[in-house]
Amino acid sequence: MQIQENIILAPYTTFKIGGPAKYFCLAQSIADVQEAITFAKEKNLKIFVFGGGSNLLITDAGINGLVIKLDLQKLEFEDNLVKVGAGVNLAYLLNQSLEHGLTGLEFATGIPGTVGGAVRGNAGTYGQAMGDVTQNIQYLDEDYQLQNMSASEANFAYRHSIFKEKNYLILEVALKLQISDIEVAKNLVKERLAYRQNTQPNDPSAGCIFKNIAFEEAEIDALRNKGIEIDKFLANKKIPAAYLIEKAGLKGKTIGGAQVSEKHANYIINTGQAKAEDVLILTSFIKQQIRDKYGIQLIEEVQFVV
Ligand SMILES: Cc1cc2nc3c(=O)[nH]c(=O)nc-3n(C[C@H](O)[C@H](O)[C@H](O)COP(=O)(O)OP(=O)(O)OC[C@H]3O[C@@H](n4cnc5c(N)ncnc54)[C@H](O)[C@@H]3O)c2cc1C
């Protein structure tokens, strides 16, 4: 495996933003991952793992360490169980599962990135997420020892898992899917893709920049008094961050090459030459506006690697 030096990371992210990695490698096997770890230990480098780069904002200064881009492509079907390498593209997994007569991943329609990144962030939509289909996870622990854990040990919650708490490296995941009506599932996927195309920008971004905001029963009156049409959100008990940003009049707000999408207010897009700095300033501006207007503290869904 080749370990390269000074590799610009922007092309490896969906935001198309980010400076160089001091060292960079593409790990296509567990042996490659181990070789990369040994290299990092010898040089005393910090390690950062890349999946599809679809949930990341990389600083303009880049990453002063070793970036391991995981390219573990195992994909094995047995009845309704799937063993999948962390580097497999989520969209490819969804398509292959449907081809094997398996449903249950339709919630992943249109989510870019890899299985490893999706499990770490418990990626999802429509009230479902990776934790709902995960059975077992093979990973390297903080001492880079090979371990296994079941989904019940993985602390899955809204856009959260144990892999955000600890520096574990996911290698492979076993998923449990269902054998049910494939035509219904394929139609759902088609509809959801069309919906995304109509409601989300095509420009480079990292998806939703902020998490939606959970609220408690006790807060409802106060939120209503701030002008939030809270009744619309009672069913999900979450206020969409996009609703607040649009209501605050921030659609189209631009700093340098970073812009709040006109199509979906919770997306910051790179209009061409955006720097990480532009995104950071725009994000702080949005947070301050939403805090001042509604007393709500937005929390980033995108990981800012600064
Ligand atoms: C247009 C667009 C739409 C999106 N829509 C959605 C959506 O509907 N729902 C949703 O949840 N997300 C959505 N996202 C966000 C993003 O696609 C998901 O968070 C995705 O799961 C990230 O996976 P990735 O492989 O790209 O991770 P990366 O961005 O590469 O990495 C994210 C984090 O995971 C870590 N990581 C990656 N692989 C591993 C591994 N194998 N082991 C340990 N850590 C790892 C990285 O170090 C980093 O900390 C969207 C993004 C875009 C650009």
Side-chain angles (χ1 to χ4, degrees):
M1 181 189 52
Q2 209 195 344
I3 298 184
Q4 296 169 281
E5 271 182 78
N6 283 325
I7 298 296
I8 299 290
L9 292 169
Y12 294 97
T13 71
T14 54
F15 234 148
K16 305 298 169 210
I17 294 175
K22 189 168 171 55
Y23 294 97
F24 178 94
C25 65
L26 190 67
Q28 295 180 301
S29 64
I30 295 178
D32 282 353
V33 175
Q34 280 159 340
E35 188 185 327
I37 289 166
T38 306
F39 176 86
K41 275 187 184 161
E42 277 168 11
K43 289 202 151 13
N44 203 17
L45 299 167
K46 83 173 180 191
I47 291 176
F48 191 86
V49 175
F50 256 60
S54 65
N55 199 32
L56 295 175
L57 177 70
I58 305 292
T59 174
D60 302 317
I63 294 180
N64 185 19
L66 170 66
V67 168
I68 305 177
K69 177 159 168 59
L70 279 192
D71 192 23
L72 304 172
Q73 295 295 336
K74 176 173 179 176
L75 186 55
E76 283 176 12
F77 289 88
E78 199 186 323
D79 301 322
N80 64 337
L81 292 181
V82 190
K83 280 190 184 159
V84 58
V88 171
N89 180 280
L90 200 57
Y92 180 73
L93 171 67
L94 166 62
N95 283 333
Q96 285 299 303
S97 301
L98 291 172
E99 289 311 311
H100 283 78
L102 295 176
T103 66
L105 279 171
E106 299 79 78
F107 70 83
T109 305
I111 304 181
T114 62
V115 168
V119 168
R120 178 183 183 272
N122 196 17
T125 46
Y126 301 99
Q128 279 182 298
M130 284 309 284
D132 299 324
V133 290
T134 298
Q135 203 177 45
N136 200 273
I137 304 144
Q138 189 187 69
Y139 65 98
L140 295 178
D141 67 16
E142 277 151 341
D143 299 320
Y144 302 114
Q145 298 302 306
L146 193 61
Q147 305 283 0
N148 269 285
M149 76 165 77
S150 64
S152 59
E153 297 168 287
N155 296 353
F156 284 119
Y158 174 60
R159 300 295 169 268
H160 184 81
S161 77
I162 194 168
F163 301 97
K164 282 194 171 180
E165 297 163 25
K166 298 190 187 244
N167 214 6
Y168 294 164
L169 201 160
I170 302 164
L171 297 172
E172 190 180 310
V173 184
L175 304 176
K176 191 173 178 190
L177 302 180
Q178 291 116 42
I179 301 167
S180 70
D181 195 328
I182 284 300
E183 286 316 309
V184 171
K186 282 186 175 169
N187 283 334
L188 196 60
V189 167
K190 243 190 238 163
E191 267 171 37
R192 288 179 174 177
L193 272 180
Y195 179 78
R196 273 191 186 259
Q197 269 150 21
N198 288 331
T199 56
Q200 294 173 7
N202 280 326
D203 315 75
S205 77
C208 287
I209 201 94
F210 298 110
K211 293 182 183 176
N212 294 330
I213 305 101
F215 59 89
E216 299 295 331
E217 209 72 27
E219 297 170 288
I220 291 176
D221 285 342
L223 290 166
R224 195 177 278 120
N225 289 340
K226 293 212 167 87
I228 296 170
E229 297 139 291
I230 199 70
D231 298 324
K232 284 188 187 174
F233 312 121
L234 291 180
N236 285 335
K237 285 268 165 65
K238 282 204 183 84
I239 306 169
Y243 166 85
L244 294 178
I245 300 168
E246 182 167 358
K247 198 172 165 61
L250 296 174
K251 264 189 169 178
K253 172 78 187 166
T254 304
I255 300 220
Q259 183 176 70
V260 177
S261 165
E262 294 279 5
K263 214 167 173 183
H264 190 310
N266 199 15
Y267 277 62
I268 290 183
I269 57 167
N270 174 0
T271 59
Q273 303 298 323
K275 300 260 167 234
E277 185 74 8
D278 300 336
V279 179
L280 286 172
I281 297 171
L282 184 54
T283 311
S284 319
F285 180 76
I286 296 168
K287 286 172 81 170
Q288 175 236 316
Q289 292 282 305
I290 300 301
R291 217 168 30 234
D292 289 355
K293 287 192 159 79
Y294 308 112
I296 290 174
Q297 180 66 42
L298 291 176
I299 297 170
E300 287 82 1
E301 181 168 324
V302 171
Q303 186 183 348
F304 289 7
V305 186
V306 289

